[in-house]
Amino acid sequence: MTAARDTWTIASAADAARARAGLARLVADTGAPALDRARFLSALGVRLRHAVDAGGAELTVTAGPDGRLGIALGGPEPWRHTLVRSGALPGPQDEPHSEAMPDLQDAPHADELPDPQDEPHAEALPAPQEAPLAEALLSADEDAAAVLTSLAETEELLRLHREELHQTNQGVLALHAELEAAALAQRDLLDAERAARAEAENARRLLTFLANASAVLHASLDHEDILRRLPELLVPEYARHVDVWLVDDERTPPGDRAAATVTAARTGRPQHAGPHPGQLPGVDDLPASALFPDRPLLCLPLGGRTVQGVLTLAAPGERFDPDTTVMLLELARRAGIALENARQYEQHRDVAEALQRAQLTDLPAVPGLDLAARYLPATHGLNIGGDWYDAFSQPDGSVLTVIGDVTGHGLRAAVIMGQLRTALRAYAVEGNGPARILTLLHRMLRHQQPELYATCAIARFTPGEPEVVWAAAGHPPAVARGPRGEVRVLDAKPGIMLGVPLPYEYEEHTVELPAGSVLALYTDGLVERRAAGIDVGIDRLARAMQVLGAAELAKLDAAADALLRPMLHDSEHDDDICLLLCRTTIG
């Protein structure tokens, strides 16, 4: 089949309508979709309307044997288009003179179609007036209905997509909200963790201070030392000022104390006095003190079994911290216990010292012999031990000087020391010498106190004789100083300690002590130290005796004090000390 061509004159709106209706039927025959047909006819109608407005134009329609349909519109705005039966039609947006469907890019334009003049067997195209307008209008409505249906489907699809997008947005917003809530929760947790750490660190600091302060207070058994240490511990971190009032202290009457202090002592309950209530745990609130109207006061009973006194603290800042107050309450309780223990210890110590000194003898005045003695209790412990000295005359006129030490401390050692002292005097009255007396004491101690031991040294001075007889039972050696200052240690081997479960007979030794000589008898507390052996202490005592001056030797008490100074100046002593000096003179 050859191509056919027809030319229609478009001079009026009716011509344009008939042309459009005719082309609508031709386009329908191509089998194009309704949407594509509507797009093409809409574009054609716009072009025809412009052509009528411009005064008319020639519309040329060419039908090719391969199903191509060419449309060419002349006039001021020429327009050409090509259609293919099986392809999609171009939309109204296509540019004139260059329209081509997406799948008909290679389709020839109308001017490329063969001239119908050259094809003698070409079939004629239907004229525009042959197309019924009613049928064209109905067909256009069907196309419009199809387009509207497609648009409705598209709108529904858009609605679904819009709803899906909305749901997605809502999900994103919800996710953002959850993330924000999680971030806020994490921030709250971090803040809570920081607060918990700060609280734990503060509690650790308070507990550490409480433990250290308690150790300091309980390390002392001197209540004056405890009272002195309390302000040192608390000022300035926990109090601006500290006052300690002991309830039995008559030096400061209650009238000179804050009312809250007196109330705390009377009731045994902590009191807070300030311009504003403290609301502290376990503490009663009172009005501000008349003595300190602008300063918060915390008055804490120093409690043990009884209230020892009141610890009054002035706040280091504007108010007291509740956690710090709890720590201060416990510290006050412990300080009260430390004070109570110190006072009980001091009472027991005073009783022990009185008992100990009651056991010591007043030295006799003997012609030809000067005597001086010193007793020093241990610097630690209850200060009741077994050290003793004694000096007394025998029936024959001689003088026995004795020094001894019962092992251990406490009441039992003091009792055994008293028994030994009494037994020794009894054995001496019978006329026994130093060695025999020690032998009898050893036998007595073995039978009466088999688990207790003692050391002892006895020296017998006879008026008018320059010789001294002595014996020792496990005791440190005596030190003798001659008239010209020569010093020697009486280091003859002593016998065993008294009470050792072995039968033993002690021996006597003789040493010459001319007039002006000094014999020092002492217990091991004078010469023995933990950091050095006893031999070092004995050598120090010998040097101290050697350097005694004439003024010190003229009065034996001064000599005793002069010997103690170099022996005790560098350390405290853990044991009792007894020193007995014996100086021979011309009778």
Side-chain angles (χ1 to χ4, degrees):
M1 181 181 292
T2 60
R5 172 180 292 185
D6 197 357
T7 300
W8 303 335
T9 300
I10 308 300
S12 64
D15 295 337
R18 285 191 292 271
R20 183 185 183 284
L23 283 175
R25 190 182 63 179
L26 292 175
V27 172
D29 292 341
T30 64
L35 182 58
D36 292 337
R37 294 200 306 271
R39 285 176 177 171
F40 168 74
L41 294 175
S42 175
L44 177 63
V46 171
R47 300 295 179 181
L48 292 174
R49 182 70 176 178
H50 289 173
V52 170
D53 293 341
E58 295 290 334
L59 176 62
T60 303
V61 179
T62 304
D66 53 359
R68 287 190 176 91
L69 187 66
I71 299 94
L73 181 64
E77 296 180 5
W79 181 66
R80 293 179 181 177
H81 206 82
T82 301
L83 298 172
V84 180
R85 179 180 299 275
S86 59
L89 297 176
Q93 69 274 15
D94 295 331
E95 294 295 329
H97 307 292
S98 60
E99 292 80 355
M101 297 301 293
D103 54 348
L104 300 176
Q105 306 235 341
D106 297 330
H109 293 288
D111 55 351
E112 297 175 353
L113 296 174
D115 191 342
Q117 308 278 339
D118 301 330
E119 300 291 337
H121 302 288
E123 297 179 359
L125 293 174
Q129 63 272 17
E130 296 177 0
L133 291 179
E135 181 182 352
L137 289 176
L138 292 175
S139 299
D141 288 341
E142 291 178 358
D143 291 343
V147 170
L148 292 176
T149 301
S150 176
L151 288 176
E153 293 175 354
T154 303
E155 287 178 352
E156 178 64 18
L157 185 61
L158 287 175
R159 187 188 66 78
L160 293 176
H161 287 314
R162 187 178 295 110
E163 180 67 23
E164 182 178 358
L165 181 61
H166 175 71
Q167 295 296 332
T168 302
N169 290 338
Q170 292 296 108
V172 171
L173 291 176
L175 179 59
H176 279 293
E178 291 179 2
L179 291 176
E180 184 178 3
L184 292 176
Q186 184 178 18
R187 185 180 64 186
D188 293 341
L189 288 175
L190 290 175
D191 292 342
E193 182 182 2
R194 293 191 190 97
R197 286 183 178 179
E199 185 177 352
E201 177 61 24
N202 184 56
R204 185 199 63 80
R205 180 179 61 84
L206 293 176
L207 288 175
T208 301
F209 171 79
L210 178 62
N212 294 337
S214 299
V216 170
L217 296 177
H218 285 279
S220 177
L221 288 174
D222 183 348
H223 81 279
E224 293 291 345
D225 181 55
I226 295 173
L227 296 179
R228 183 175 62 256
R229 288 180 180 271
L230 274 172
E232 296 174 356
L233 292 169
L234 296 172
V235 176
E237 184 174 0
Y238 298 104
R240 184 186 307 174
H241 172 74
V242 171
D243 178 68
V244 183
W245 175 44
L246 300 181
V247 293
D248 58 355
D249 186 1
E250 299 179 355
R251 293 173 295 181
T252 305
D256 294 340
R257 301 284 172 178
T261 301
V262 179
T263 302
R266 185 180 69 253
T267 62
R269 286 187 53 80
Q271 304 293 324
H272 174 270
H276 305 287
Q279 297 179 346
L280 301 173
V283 180
D284 298 336
D285 278 315
L286 293 177
S289 171
L291 299 177
F292 308 98
D294 300 327
R295 185 181 305 171
L297 298 180
L298 186 60
C299 305
L300 307 176
L302 297 170
R305 285 181 289 272
T306 60
V307 176
Q308 302 294 310
V310 178
L311 175 66
T312 301
L313 304 95
E318 296 181 356
R319 64 187 305 274
F320 286 97
D321 177 70
D323 292 338
T324 302
T325 301
V326 174
M327 183 275 293
L328 293 174
L329 288 170
E330 178 61 20
L331 179 64
R333 186 186 71 83
R334 298 186 184 187
I337 294 175
L339 283 171
E340 187 174 12
N341 292 338
R343 286 188 160 189
Q344 289 181 354
Y345 168 79
E346 290 169 355
Q347 292 173 359
H348 294 165
R349 181 194 61 193
D350 294 343
V351 171
E353 287 185 0
L355 176 62
Q356 186 80 23
R357 295 187 183 280
Q359 298 280 359
L360 303 177
T361 306
D362 291 334
L363 297 175
V366 180
L369 184 66
D370 290 341
L371 299 172
R374 292 291 183 271
Y375 170 76
L376 300 176
T379 53
H380 300 289
L382 194 55
N383 298 339
I384 180 170
D387 290 25
W388 93 96
Y389 64 86
D390 200 359
F392 54 91
S393 298
Q394 286 187 291
D396 61 358
S398 62
V399 177
L400 285 183
T401 57
V402 182
I403 196 159
D405 182 5
V406 177
T407 58
H409 284 79
L411 186 59
R412 185 184 181 194
V415 170
I416 297 302
M417 178 267 289
Q419 292 177 357
L420 289 175
R421 176 178 174 274
T422 302
L424 189 149
R425 284 200 171 209
Y427 296 145
V429 169
E430 295 176 356
N432 294 307
R436 182 59 182 167
I437 292 174
L438 290 177
T439 300
L440 295 173
L441 288 176
H442 175 60
R443 185 184 306 167
M444 181 199 78
L445 198 59
R446 281 177 56 201
H447 290 286
Q448 294 187 1
Q449 301 291 339
E451 296 180 358
L452 200 63
Y453 311 108
T455 66
C456 185
I458 304 175
R460 183 176 64 188
F461 294 86
T462 302
E465 295 183 5
E467 294 181 345
V468 174
V469 179
W470 65 276
H475 202 78
V479 180
R481 183 184 190 277
R484 291 184 296 275
E486 67 277 14
V487 176
R488 53 179 170 164
V489 178
L490 306 184
D491 53 359
K493 184 177 181 180
I496 64 175
M497 294 177 66
L498 300 175
V500 174
L502 292 172
Y504 192 81
E505 296 287 337
Y506 293 89
E507 298 179 0
E508 291 183 349
H509 307 275
T510 302
V511 60
E512 186 174 352
L513 288 179
S517 299
V518 178
L519 181 68
L521 302 175
Y522 56 90
T523 56
D524 58 357
L526 180 65
V527 294
E528 190 173 23
R529 296 291 180 273
R530 293 180 180 179
I534 192 171
D535 293 338
V536 176
I538 294 174
D539 292 340
R540 183 188 296 181
L541 176 61
R543 290 194 301 271
M545 289 189 65
Q546 190 174 21
V547 298
L548 287 175
E552 295 165 336
L553 290 172
K555 191 173 182 180
L556 206 55
D557 282 330
D561 294 334
L563 288 177
L564 290 176
R565 280 194 294 271
M567 299 301 295
L568 304 178
H569 75 91
D570 59 347
S571 65
E572 296 181 335
H573 51 95
D574 299 328
D575 199 359
D576 300 342
I577 292 176
C578 273
L579 174 64
L580 178 60
L581 295 183
C582 311
R583 183 179 61 185
T584 58
T585 61
I586 299 176

